[in-house]
Amino acid sequence: MSASAIDLRSDTLTRPADAMRRAMAAAEVGDDVFGEDPTVRRLEEEAAERLGKEDALFVASGRMANLVAVFAHGAADAPVALGATSHLNTVEAAGIDRIARIERVPVEEKGAAPVADSLRAALEGGARLAAFENTHNGAGGRILRPEEAEPLAALAREAKVPTHLDGARVFNAAVALGAGAATLAAPFDSACFCLSKGLGAPVGSVLTGTREFIDRAREARQHVGGAMRQAGVLAACGLHALEHHVERIAEDHASARRFAEIICEAPGVRLDPPEVETNMVYVVYERGGRDSAWLQKELAKRGVLAFEKDGRIRFVTHLDVTREDVERAARVLVETASS
Ligand SMILES: *Cc1c(COP(=O)(O)O)cnc(C)c1O
């Protein structure tokens, strides 16, 4: 990997720039476990407002937000219904199995949305929590639209089952739709988002919900070892990100679309899914015995980094790659695929 590699492996790769570091340095702090860190409190208030919920809790990561949500919904002894290809049911499965120790009931999905009949069956089968994801990473950064989400959330409501939104990239969905994040979180009882992905902060996620829910989540966070002390230095990055890095996500989406446009005509290249809705482009490559794994390795040698998994290569645009970088990466891909 050369120093000038164009790194499209993930939107978690961004580094805090000078203005964000200055916000860290200037942050007023206190012991957050005593409820005395004013910067953490400000971030939690800002996040709650943006997601249209009563209260919020700053946590170390998206996984911790999801795990703590499972506990705080009181689902610790009962099955949870979740999308079969969701982050929760794949990457986070071990945490749910070994820490929460609850059964996962995978629900069939179409695009970013659980299939209604499959969700209904999970609820009838005794699921006590239903989880959703927006944008849906495994589905290629696709958006779960409010009009799709609402009837599904209603099924859970009718069964008196609470709902949780893993909104790691909900701001990508919001910006792409030109809606507020609150609109996308509205169907769900709780929702979390990552500050450390498209928003460009180095660390952190925020979980939002009712005041009572957040009280329980705060307790659960302590049980899983997630209580932080003078965390205001990190919360300051989150506040800076919410203030300065939300609208600009549109540039990442435009770059991803441009990338897809350039590469889609290359021989052996197929976009999967064909639509690029946010900041991710998934590619399948098959040509003359060469596959996606081959292409990913060749690209790395030529300074374009991406992830390959299960026959698909994922390219993610973010704050630290320019439109020019992305266009250059796309041209390298076209050359390599054609070689
Ligand atoms: C990244 C991600 C998470 C977990 O976030 P971490 O901060 O890496 O723990 C959860 N859900 C989705 C959809 C993600 O993409």
Side-chain angles (χ1 to χ4, degrees), residues 61-63 66 87 92 133 137 166 168-169 194 197:
S61 66
R63 290 182 197 215
N66 286 329
H87 202 273
E92 297 175 52
E133 184 173 319
N137 179 3
D166 175 0
R169 295 187 180 83
C194 290
K197 294 188 172 166

Side-chain angles (χ1 to χ4, degrees), residues 100-333:
R101 293 176 164 276
I102 59 174
E103 187 191 341
R104 288 175 286 110
V105 184
V107 171
E108 202 187 316
E109 299 159 297
K110 190 164 186 292
V115 172
D117 285 343
S118 183
L119 177 61
R120 199 178 285 114
L123 294 167
E124 284 166 2
R128 299 319 304 158
L129 175 65
F132 299 79
E133 184 173 319
N134 200 10
T135 63
H136 196 299
N137 179 3
R142 274 207 261 192
I143 298 166
L144 177 60
R145 290 175 164 69
E147 61 273 22
E148 296 173 289
E150 181 39 46
L152 295 166
L155 288 178
R157 243 187 337 266
E158 284 157 23
K160 300 203 165 30
V161 168
T163 51
H164 171 67
L165 176 66
D166 175 0
R169 295 187 180 83
V170 74
F171 281 95
N172 288 83
V175 168
L177 294 180
T183 305
L184 300 185
F188 308 104
D189 296 305
S190 63
C192 61
F193 65 93
C194 290
L195 293 161
S196 55
K197 294 188 172 166
L199 293 173
V203 176
S205 278
V206 188
L207 174 63
T208 69
T210 64
R211 201 149 283 134
E212 295 74 33
F213 170 82
I214 292 299
D215 286 346
R216 291 195 299 275
R218 199 174 290 282
E219 213 178 293
R221 182 185 67 172
Q222 192 131 22
H223 293 321
V224 299
M228 298 183 282
R229 300 294 176 171
Q230 288 72 27
V233 286
L234 299 174
C237 297
L239 278 166
H240 181 88
L242 284 173
E243 195 172 328
H244 300 283
H245 295 167
V246 174
E247 283 77 25
R248 67 148 304 285
I249 286 176
E251 297 169 29
D252 298 340
H253 297 171
S255 291
R257 278 196 302 275
R258 180 76 187 121
F259 182 82
E261 218 172 81
I262 298 174
I263 66 166
C264 70
E265 300 297 336
V269 167
R270 176 164 57 85
L271 301 181
D272 177 27
E275 314 82 26
V276 173
E277 293 194 333
T278 56
N279 68 331
M280 291 183 187
V281 183
Y282 275 86
V283 170
V284 176
Y285 180 66
E286 284 162 336
R287 184 166 184 251
R290 291 170 170 174
D291 60 6
S292 295
W294 176 86
L295 182 60
Q296 184 266 341
K297 283 193 197 78
E298 284 302 310
L299 290 175
K301 285 184 209 161
R302 295 166 199 217
V304 174
L305 306 183
F307 264 138
E308 189 273 334
K309 194 170 173 259
D310 302 330
R312 294 196 298 173
I313 314 177
R314 188 186 78 167
F315 299 87
V316 187
T317 56
H318 54 79
L319 183 57
D320 283 6
V321 287
T322 64
R323 172 71 77 100
E324 290 68 37
D325 290 334
V326 172
E327 288 183 350
R328 189 148 53 88
R331 285 194 299 271
V332 171
L333 191 154

